[in-house]
Amino acid sequence: MSIDIPGLRQRYIDSCKRHDVLPSNAILSGLCKAEVKKARHELCSLEIFLHHLKDVDFLPLFDVFTQLDNSEIEAVDLCNGSSCTLKGEYALKLMRAINQKLRVVDLQDFFGKSSLRDLSKKGLPCQMLILMASNFRKLNMSGQFMQIHTLNLDFSSSLTSFQEDCFACMPNLMRLSMCETRISNLWTTTAALSKLPSLVELRFQNWLCCNDSGSCFVSSSVKSNRKTDSGLPKKNPYVGGVSVDLRELLDQNSSTEQVLRNMVSLSELIVNNDVQSMSEDSSDDSETEYLNCQQVYGNMEPSPTAFPGWHGQFDFQNEVSFDTLQYQNEEESTKGAFTQDNADLAMNYISYHPSPVCFEKHYREYMIASLPRLKVLDNLPIRKSDKERASVTYLEHFEHLPYRRKKKECVVSILKKREVKAGRSPGRNSSCLPGISQNFYTKSFCAAKVGSSAWPLLHPISISGTLVGDERRSFRPRQFEYHPTDCSLMVFGTLDGEVVVLNHESETVISYIPSLGAMNSVLGLCWLKRHPSKLIAGSDNGSLKLYDIQHRSQIITGVYNSVGTVTFDEFDQLTSVHVNSTDELFLASGYSRNVALYDISSGRRLQVFTDMHREHINVVKFANHSPSIFATSSFDQDVKMWDLRQKPLRACYTATSNKGNVMVCFSPDDHYLLASAVDNEVRQLLAVDGRLHLNFGIAPTGSTQNYTRSYYMNGRDYIISGSCDEHVVRVCCAQTGRRLRDISLEGKGSGTSMYVQSLRGDPFQEFNMSILAAYTRPSTRTEIVKVNMLASSDYVKEHNHRQSRPSNSMGG
C-alpha cells in the first residue's frame, strides 16, 4: 500500500487554514524528511521537535494525528530540546492521539508536576521513553506502559526511591537507565526492579574503558568524519585500520533518526555471534579488547538526550537477542574487568555519572545476585563467572532473611506448624520432634514479615502543635529514650531545654517539664531501672536534674510541680549521662577528659575522674548488669573499660579505633561492646577483654564530620547504625555482620533532605526502632520517626493517605 506523504502534508496545511494558524516550518520539514525516507525504502518515521512548537500549533497537528491512517506514517518520534513553550497537557494529548505509532518520546525536563502525574497515571503507548525530570522524588508509575521496552531516567536529579509496584505496569521493559539520579537504597531498588520480568539491561552509571593513553576500541564497521569536541580525545584509536570519532555517534545536532541509525550499527558490532572476527588483528589480550569495545559508546555523555549505551535496542524490526553474547575462554580466562578487584577495575574503566547506589559496598555483586535475569549491568555484560562470584559475595556480606532463614515462609504456614506441634502429646515418636521454643516461632514470624517487603513503615510522631495545657506547642527533639518497663512511653529532651514524656502509640503528652530558664539543649537522658518513674536529664550548659513523673506537671495549667525533683552539681559542657544497674549511681561526661560520679539518693557528686582520655569523652555507659563496670569512648580513638571498685586510676583495657569514637554501648547481656567511630567505622568488641569480634565493614563517605551512632535491636541479635551526614539507617546481624536492610529517610517537601541524629531499637517490639531525624533545611527542624520493619507496604500507603501528607512522588 502506498504512503501518501504529500497528501498528509496537504492535510496539515488545510487544518492550519481551518484554525487560522500559519503552518509550522518544523512540521513541514519533518513531513518532507518522512517523504525522503519513503523514497529510499526506509522506515517511514516522522520526527517532531516539541521545542519548535507553540500552543497555536497544537490544534492543527492534533487534527492530523487523530485522522492518521495506518498507511501513512509507520512511527512517530517526539523530542524536546532545552526549552519549550508548548503546554505539557497539549504534548500529552498529541502523544495519545498518535497512540500505537508512538515510538520514541524524549522529554528531557519538559513536564511540570501536574503533567508528570497525568503521564504516570494514564501511561503511554510508546516503545522508548526518555524522561529527565527534576521535580519528582519517588517513582510511582501506575498507568499502562505495555509497549515500552526502554526507559531512560538519567539526570533526574531529585529521584531518590520507588513505590513498591511502580514497575508493575511495564511487563515488557527490557532496558532501564538511571545515571546521576539520587537512588541509593540497594534493597528497595532491587525489590522494585525484581517486578520486571523482561529486564535484561540496567544502568546506574556509565563505565568508560580506558588505558594509559585514554584509548577505547571500536570496530571498523562504524565510520564517521572526525570532529573535535572539548573533553574528549580528538582522535580515537582504531581497530582494523579505521579511526572513529565517538562524538559523531552522539552529536547533539544529529536527528533522533540518525542517532538511532548510529546506535543500531554499533550495537550490531557488539552483539555479534562471531566474536573472533572482531579481534583478528588485536593483541593476545583479546577478551579485554572485546570488553573495551563494548564500553565505548555508552559513556561519552555530551547530552542526556543522546541516550547512549544500549545494546541493540534501536533495531525495532529485529530485536537483538542477548543470548548471542559470547566471550572468549569464559571458564579459563581471569582477565578483563569482570574478574578483577575494584582497584583493578578502576585502572581500566572510568565511571561516569554514577548514582549514589553505585558507591555501596559490593553493589555490583548485590545487583547481579538479586536480579538473576540481568545480562548487562552498567554497560558491562554479566558472565557466568560474574554470577558465581556474586552469589558467593552475597552470602558473605548480606542476609536475605532475618535470623539466617534460607527461604521465606508463609505466616499461615508458621502458625499451622506451631499449632500442630503444640497440640501433640508426648509419645514414643516425640524424640522425632525436637523441642522448639516459642522464640523459634517468633523469629520465624519476623523473618516472614521482614522478608515480605523492603519498604518498612516509617511514621513520624506527631509532636508539632501538641496541646499542653491551654496552648499548643511545637517541640524540637534533641535526645530520646524508650521507657524501661512501659512499652508505650518514651521521653525526649528538646533543643529548648524541655523534657517531655510521650505516649508514642497514641501520640499524647503524658508529662511536660518546661525549661524554666534552667536548661539549654537536653543532651543526656536516662531512666532509672528499679524506679522507672524517675529519670535523669542533663543539658549542654551543665544542668543536671532528677525528675519523678509521678509528680508531673499539671497539664491543665502547664505548671510543673517540683516535688520529687533533685538538682545535682553542674557538669560543664555535658553530653552524656547514664545510670548504673542498681539505680544508686550515675555518670556524666562532656567536652572534657573528665567523668563525674554522682550519688542519686543523696544528690551529691562523689568524685570527678580526671584525664581518663587524651581528648574529650563523647559517651559514658554503665554495664546493664554490673553496677561498677562502665565504658567510655573518646575522639582520641580509644574505647576504655573501667571498674569503680578499682577507683578507676587505670583502665581495665583499651581498644583503639582508626578514627575518633562517637559512642559505645553494651549489648543487653553485657557480652559485647558496640563501638561507633567517625564515618561508619562500627566494630563489636568482646566486653571481657576488648578483642575485636566483628567489623561491620560499612563503607565510609570520606567526611570527617560524619558522626556515627549504633545501638542494638532485638536484644543482641541485630545492630542499627546511622550517621549525621547520611539519610540511611543500616541493619546488620550482630553475629555475622551481614547487612539485612538499609532504611532510607525522606524529607516531606521538595528540596529537603534528612540525616540521622540519633536512634534506638525498641526494647519491646522485634524489628522496631525510632530515629531522631534532622532536616538540613530548615536547619532547626527535627522529628522522631518510628520504624516498623514488620509492617506491610499496604499499611504504609493507607497510613500516608490517612495522614494526607503532600506527595512529591511521580503521579502521587
Side-chain angles (χ1 to χ4, degrees), residues 9 72 80 110 142-143 182 188 190 223-224 318 326 384 413 497 518 528 551 587 629 633 651 669 678:
R9 191 164 65 243
E72 295 175 314
N80 181 54
F110 173 60
S142 55
R182 293 174 59 195
T188 55
T190 54
K223 302 180 181 181
S224 65
N318 298 294
Q326 297 183 7
K384 181 180 178 181
S413 175
L528 274 61
H551 300 277
L587 293 165
I629 300 295
S633 66
D669 58 2
V678 171

Side-chain angles (χ1 to χ4, degrees), residues 68-69 77 141 149 178 195 414 467 491 505 604 708 715 747:
L68 198 61
D69 189 89
D77 300 335
M141 304 180 81
H149 58 64
M178 290 176 282
K195 305 287 181 67
I414 298 170
L467 186 64
V491 62
E505 294 178 352
R604 293 187 304 111
T708 301

Side-chain angles (χ1 to χ4, degrees), residues 25 52 96 121 175 177 183 236 248 345 371 381 423 430 432 503 509 528 538 546 571 575 621 669 671 678 739 764 793:
N25 289 332
H52 290 161
R96 291 181 177 128
K121 287 184 176 180
R175 301 166 190 88
S177 184
I183 300 295
N236 290 303
E248 180 67 21
L345 181 67
L371 303 169
S430 61
C432 298
N503 185 319
V509 173
L528 274 61
L546 179 145
F571 187 88
T575 59
K621 292 285 184 181
D669 58 2
H671 192 71
V678 171
R739 190 92 64 87
F764 303 100
S793 58

Side-chain angles (χ1 to χ4, degrees), residues 440-460:
F440 173 86
Y441 290 108
T442 299
K443 292 182 177 181
S444 295
F445 286 131
C446 289
K449 291 183 177 181
V450 171
S452 65
S453 177
W455 287 265
L457 168 60
L458 274 65
H459 171 53

Side-chain angles (χ1 to χ4, degrees), residues 122-400:
K122 296 181 181 178
L124 276 180
C126 64
Q127 299 176 46
M128 180 188 298
L129 176 60
I130 304 171
L131 178 63
M132 184 181 72
S134 59
N135 51 11
F136 68 91
R137 293 186 300 114
K138 182 174 288 188
L139 192 66
N140 182 20
M141 304 180 81
S142 55
Q144 292 296 312
F145 294 88
M146 302 302 292
Q147 306 301 320
I148 191 169
H149 58 64
T150 302
L151 174 62
N152 186 323
L153 298 171
D154 289 352
F155 306 97
S156 295
S157 57
S158 297
L159 180 60
T160 61
S161 60
F162 308 95
Q163 285 290 102
E164 183 172 4
D165 298 321
C166 66
F167 292 119
C169 57
M170 301 180 184
N172 298 306
L173 187 68
M174 298 177 64
R175 301 166 190 88
L176 176 63
S177 184
M178 290 176 282
C179 299
E180 207 163 293
T181 61
R182 293 174 59 195
I183 300 295
S184 61
N185 192 308
L186 280 172
W187 286 262
T188 55
T189 299
T190 54
L193 296 179
S194 64
K195 305 287 181 67
L196 288 168
S198 303
L199 186 69
V200 293
E201 187 165 352
L202 177 65
R203 191 170 65 186
F204 285 99
Q205 61 189 329
N206 285 318
W207 277 113
L208 172 63
C209 64
C210 62
N211 56 27
D212 292 340
S213 64
S215 63
C216 300
F217 295 96
V218 297
S219 168
S220 59
S221 65
V222 184
K223 302 180 181 181
S224 65
N225 296 323
R226 291 192 296 274
K227 298 169 67 176
T228 301
D229 206 332
S230 60
L232 285 175
K234 295 182 181 179
K235 190 174 181 179
N236 290 303
Y238 56 88
V239 176
V242 178
S243 179
V244 180
D245 185 354
L246 302 176
R247 281 288 186 181
E248 180 67 21
L249 292 175
L250 308 176
D251 185 3
Q252 294 184 64
N253 296 321
S254 299
S255 67
T256 300
E257 187 71 25
Q258 183 60 43
V259 172
L260 299 182
R261 194 187 313 280
N262 290 338
M263 289 299 134
V264 170
S265 60
L266 192 50
S267 64
E268 288 173 352
L269 156 69
I270 292 168
V271 188
N272 194 313
N273 287 324
D274 189 6
V275 177
Q276 296 289 344
S277 65
M278 295 192 300
S279 55
E280 288 176 349
D281 300 323
S282 65
S283 67
D284 291 337
D285 193 6
S286 58
E287 179 177 282
T288 301
E289 292 196 1
Y290 172 54
L291 299 179
N292 286 342
C293 184
Q294 289 178 304
Q295 305 316 307
V296 70
Y297 70 99
N299 303 280
M300 301 296 192
E301 202 291 313
S303 167
T305 63
F307 197 52
W310 299 112
H311 302 275
Q313 78 277 25
F314 297 108
D315 188 353
F316 293 97
Q317 301 297 322
N318 298 294
E319 284 289 342
V320 179
S321 170
F322 283 89
D323 295 335
T324 62
L325 283 172
Q326 297 183 7
Y327 307 96
Q328 295 181 349
N329 302 321
E330 168 149 351
E331 300 304 323
E332 295 84 1
S333 176
T334 58
K335 298 178 181 179
F338 310 104
T339 54
Q340 297 178 14
D341 293 333
N342 289 335
D344 296 329
L345 181 67
M347 294 175 64
N348 295 309
Y349 297 87
I350 298 174
S351 173
Y352 276 72
H353 307 295
S355 294
V357 69
C358 301
F359 298 102
E360 283 291 334
K361 210 168 185 179
H362 311 296
Y363 148 78
R364 182 170 176 83
E365 290 82 359
Y366 185 93
M367 284 287 182
I368 293 173
S370 302
L371 303 169
R373 290 186 290 268
L374 271 189
K375 295 185 178 180
V376 179
L377 177 60
D378 299 332
N379 297 342
L380 299 178
I382 300 169
R383 305 183 308 173
K384 181 180 178 181
S385 56
D386 300 322
K387 291 186 176 183
E388 291 172 351
R389 185 177 62 169
S391 179
V392 172
T393 301
Y394 185 94
L395 292 175
E396 287 179 353
H397 298 282
F398 300 98
E399 194 172 71
H400 177 58

Side-chain angles (χ1 to χ4, degrees), residues 371-619:
L371 303 169
R373 290 186 290 268
L374 271 189
K375 295 185 178 180
V376 179
L377 177 60
D378 299 332
N379 297 342
L380 299 178
I382 300 169
R383 305 183 308 173
K384 181 180 178 181
S385 56
D386 300 322
K387 291 186 176 183
E388 291 172 351
R389 185 177 62 169
S391 179
V392 172
T393 301
Y394 185 94
L395 292 175
E396 287 179 353
H397 298 282
F398 300 98
E399 194 172 71
H400 177 58
L401 293 172
Y403 298 112
R404 288 170 275 181
R405 294 301 196 265
K406 300 292 184 183
K407 60 181 181 178
K408 187 174 72 174
E409 293 184 83
C410 174
V411 173
V412 175
S413 175
I414 298 170
L415 286 170
K416 185 176 180 180
K417 289 179 182 177
R418 184 177 67 174
E419 292 171 0
V420 169
K421 299 227 172 178
R424 290 185 179 178
S425 59
R428 63 179 183 178
N429 294 326
S430 61
S431 61
C432 298
L433 299 172
I436 299 179
S437 66
Q438 181 60 37
N439 189 43
F440 173 86
Y441 290 108
T442 299
K443 292 182 177 181
S444 295
F445 286 131
C446 289
K449 291 183 177 181
V450 171
S452 65
S453 177
W455 287 265
L457 168 60
L458 274 65
H459 171 53
I461 298 177
S462 179
I463 53 177
S464 178
T466 303
L467 186 64
V468 177
D470 294 329
E471 63 176 318
R472 293 195 176 275
R473 304 188 62 89
S474 294
F475 300 113
R476 299 186 297 162
R478 177 57 184 86
Q479 189 58 280
F480 76 98
E481 295 285 350
Y482 283 99
H483 193 276
T485 58
D486 191 330
C487 64
S488 65
L489 297 184
M490 69 167 55
V491 62
F492 66 85
T494 72
L495 291 167
D496 303 306
E498 304 150 306
V499 176
V500 182
V501 179
L502 178 76
N503 185 319
H504 59 83
E505 294 178 352
S506 63
E507 301 184 5
T508 56
V509 173
I510 302 301
S511 182
Y512 169 67
I513 304 167
S515 63
L516 299 178
M519 302 183 78
N520 290 346
S521 297
V522 177
L523 301 181
L525 286 171
C526 189
W527 293 96
L528 274 61
K529 299 173 183 64
R530 298 187 177 184
H531 303 87
S533 67
K534 299 179 180 180
L535 61 94
I536 301 286
S539 68
D540 58 2
N541 68 352
S543 175
L544 274 166
K545 293 181 181 293
L546 179 145
Y547 296 106
D548 190 340
I549 62 172
Q550 287 183 345
H551 300 277
R552 62 182 180 269
S553 59
Q554 301 294 321
I555 296 298
I556 298 176
T557 63
V559 178
Y560 179 72
N561 182 353
S562 62
V563 176
T565 301
V566 177
T567 300
F568 300 91
D569 291 342
E570 292 185 355
F571 187 88
D572 193 33
Q573 294 184 298
L574 180 144
T575 59
S576 171
V577 298
H578 202 247
V579 178
N580 74 348
S581 60
T582 58
D583 288 353
E584 297 172 330
L585 307 169
F586 78 88
L587 293 165
S589 67
Y591 287 103
S592 73
R593 295 179 293 179
N594 307 331
V595 170
L597 177 68
Y598 294 84
D599 181 79
I600 293 177
S601 60
S602 66
R604 293 187 304 111
R605 182 165 63 195
L606 301 180
Q607 193 172 354
V608 176
F609 308 116
T610 60
D611 296 325
M612 302 187 82
H613 282 265
R614 289 169 285 123
E615 294 187 30
H616 77 260
I617 299 167
N618 287 312
V619 169

